[in-house]
Amino acid sequence: MSIPPLVILAIGIAVVLGMIIWLRINAFLALLTAAVTVSLLACINHPEDFPDSISRVAEAFGGAAANIGIVIGLAAVIGQCMMDSGAADRIVRAFLRLLGEKRSPWALMGSGYVLAVPVFFDTVFYLLVPLARSFYKRTGKNYLLCILAIAAGGAITHTLVPPTPGPLVMATTLGVDLGLMIGVGALVALPAAVMGIAFSRWLDRRMDIPLRTLSDVEEQEPLPDERLPGLFVSLLPVVLPVILIACHTIASTLAKPSIALAEANGTDPVGFWFNATFYTSVFGNPNFALLVSTAIAMLLVLKTRKPSRDEFAKLVEVALMSAGVIILITAAGASFGAMLKAAQIGPAIQDLFGGSDSGSYGLLFLGFGLAALLKVAQGSSTAAMIVGSSMLAAIVSDTALPFNAVYIATSIGAGSLIGSWMNDSGFWIFAKMGGLTETEALKSWTPLLLVLGFTSMAMTLLLASVLPLAGM
């Protein structure tokens, strides 16, 4: 007896949706239950894995927590401190003066668009969502528009523009020049981000989402202008980690040619950029960068609010407690995705498309659809991009394309935005940090990413036709 992998996928999805939406059970328990269910069902096809069926769920959970735990915890403290110190308010007031109140969502989208290039979307959203909350406190409107604007800017470059890991791996796997991937990725991403703003504005008029308190502590009253920190130090907790992480990304990227040459010659790598990575790998590590940023944000609170020791300790404790819930949910979602992988969902999806004899432009749709299926199945856009590009690499290498392979990469990136739901860490980051219920997130975040994905695909088809770049 065996169970088709796609049937296991359907059962896993049904467990998650049923427990969260119908039974109203906490998402952590629902995702954990689904992960265990999928792992046990996978053992019907592979009985030799039965002794490890539960332990591998825990191992996947621990691996995900190791990757995200410190970053999420520190970013939560930074966000809370930026709110309480007035740093977030200072930045919002600067935006309002520079662009005017009506253009603030554009400023938030632009911030997310730029910041998500060197760092993961989760971190960008954590760092920018306090600005949306501060904007709502000042204006009393457009809260959903603002958080969707951040999401639109951050999500689109995270999936299309290197050196974010997904697009970077796609460029390497498909043999696309990195500079070309950056340029074309940004060109595809920009109209999608603009369309995301338009959709967010339309949705904001139809969904009444209030600003909800994220903790059991009352948020402090805004400080007057004269007591707010300066704009430079207010931006520092956001900008500094981005600079530190970007420095390592740039150094490690530029060091790759010397490393490849050394491997080919059987010698030790040399060169300025390789030597620089010795230091940037420490100072550009996201955990270290955010720890430094946390220290700055905490000093801002001490300087502006002058809290007592007990008040300050409670502020930090509440931020960490809220982060703990998000870490549990995100790691459980990753564990669920890992068990779907163990159930051979990926090969099953590959078999659906493996015999495709589509034409060259059909490969764009194939990459888009394959990445979308992978995204729905396991939740990670990065994983969908990596696996999808690997599946198409052999086909692309044997096909005379009328356009550059960079458009295969952007079609896969576009597809990796489609179908974000409860096994995607980004879904939970948006819902929990934004103060939305699961149903509200499904009605806002999920369709926003559909808009971003389909617009990116449309731009890919247009550019592949009018700007094929075939000779590059």
Side-chain angles (χ1 to χ4, degrees):
M1 176 184 176
S2 64
I3 301 178
L6 295 181
V7 173
I8 296 177
L9 170 63
I11 293 173
I13 292 174
V15 169
V16 174
L17 292 177
M19 293 184 70
I20 292 177
I21 296 178
W22 185 48
L23 298 178
R24 306 300 298 173
I25 291 175
N26 182 274
F28 163 67
L29 295 175
L31 290 166
L32 186 61
T33 302
V36 171
T37 301
V38 168
S39 184
L40 291 172
L41 290 174
C43 292
I44 295 177
N45 298 338
H46 301 278
E48 68 278 5
D49 294 337
F50 182 74
D52 299 324
S53 58
I54 305 302
S55 61
R56 65 185 179 183
V57 173
E59 289 171 3
F61 181 93
N67 291 329
I68 64 169
I70 295 175
V71 170
I72 289 180
L74 293 176
V77 175
I78 292 170
Q80 188 67 52
C81 288
M82 287 185 66
M83 288 293 292
D84 282 18
S85 68
D89 203 19
R90 169 62 76 190
I91 296 172
V92 170
R93 295 183 197 189
F95 281 157
L96 289 173
R97 284 196 296 268
L98 180 64
L99 298 174
E101 181 180 307
K102 292 183 179 180
R103 297 186 182 91
S104 289
W106 288 95
L108 293 173
M109 184 274 286
S111 300
Y113 184 95
V114 173
L115 295 178
V117 172
V119 299
F120 279 105
F121 168 81
D122 295 4
T123 303
V124 170
F125 193 78
Y126 261 108
L127 293 175
L128 293 181
V129 74
L131 308 185
R133 295 176 66 83
S134 230
F135 173 81
Y136 180 82
K137 286 183 176 181
R138 290 184 57 81
T139 64
K141 59 183 180 180
N142 298 136
Y143 175 63
L144 181 62
L145 170 60
C146 287
I147 60 174
L148 287 175
I150 297 171
I156 195 64
T157 51
H158 175 75
T159 54
L160 290 173
V161 184
T164 305
L168 183 62
V169 172
M170 284 198 299
T172 303
T173 303
L174 296 170
V176 176
D177 177 77
L178 189 59
L180 185 64
M181 184 70 205
I182 292 173
V184 173
L187 192 59
V188 171
L190 187 58
V194 172
M195 186 64 70
I197 281 281
F199 174 77
S200 300
R201 196 176 295 279
W202 176 84
L203 194 63
D204 183 65
R205 292 195 294 265
R206 286 157 178 78
M207 289 183 67
D208 182 20
I209 304 295
L211 178 66
R212 299 184 178 108
T213 302
L214 298 180
S215 67
D216 56 3
V217 174
E218 293 185 7
E219 299 185 24
Q220 309 236 23
E221 289 298 320
L223 292 167
D225 278 351
E226 60 272 13
R227 288 190 58 193
L228 290 176
L231 181 60
F232 175 78
V233 294
S234 296
L235 285 168
L236 205 55
V238 176
V239 174
L240 181 61
V242 173
I243 293 174
L244 292 174
I245 295 169
C247 285
H248 177 58
T249 301
I250 293 170
S252 59
T253 301
L254 295 177
K256 287 180 179 179
S258 63
I259 295 173
L261 181 62
E263 290 177 349
N265 297 332
T267 59
D268 293 331
V270 294
F272 172 81
W273 291 111
F274 175 76
N275 294 333
T277 60
F278 184 80
Y279 300 99
T280 61
S281 61
V282 175
F283 300 115
N285 184 287
N287 297 312
F288 177 83
L290 284 171
L291 181 62
V292 175
S293 181
T294 301
I296 295 171
M298 292 171 70
L299 288 173
L300 286 175
V301 173
L302 293 173
K303 181 179 179 181
T304 56
R305 292 288 184 181
K306 297 180 173 57
S308 67
R309 291 183 181 180
D310 289 342
E311 290 172 339
F312 187 64
K314 189 173 184 180
L315 180 153
V316 174
E317 180 182 354
V318 168
L320 292 174
M321 288 174 65
S322 65
V325 174
I326 298 174
I327 292 170
L328 286 173
I329 292 173
T330 305
S335 184
F336 177 44
M339 293 310 99
L340 291 174
K341 181 178 179 181
Q344 303 296 308
I345 302 298
I349 294 174
Q350 185 177 9
D351 289 343
L352 291 177
F353 293 95
S356 174
D357 56 354
S358 302
S360 297
Y361 283 92
L363 289 176
L364 298 177
F365 291 100
L366 177 59
F368 178 83
L370 181 58
L373 282 173
L374 288 166
K375 171 70 171 183
V376 173
Q378 51 75 50
S380 169
S381 292
T382 300
M385 286 183 273
I386 293 172
V387 176
S389 60
S390 298
M391 289 179 179
L392 286 182
I395 301 175
V396 171
S397 63
D398 294 335
T399 305
L401 298 175
F403 47 77
N404 194 285
V406 68
Y407 295 117
I408 299 290
T410 57
S411 69
I412 295 171
S416 73
L417 289 162
I418 302 296
S420 175
W421 65 293
M422 294 164 180
N423 66 343
D424 180 8
S425 64
F427 174 91
W428 294 110
I429 294 292
F430 178 83
K432 297 304 177 183
M433 280 301 296
L436 277 67
T437 66
E438 290 87 353
T439 301
E440 289 169 344
L442 284 171
K443 291 180 178 179
S444 56
W445 161 268
T446 301
L448 171 66
L449 265 64
L450 286 173
V451 170
L452 296 178
F454 282 113
T455 304
S456 299
M457 184 59 184
M459 281 300 302
T460 294
L461 292 169
L462 176 63
L463 290 174
S465 300
V466 302
L467 189 67
L469 304 173
M472 297 184 66

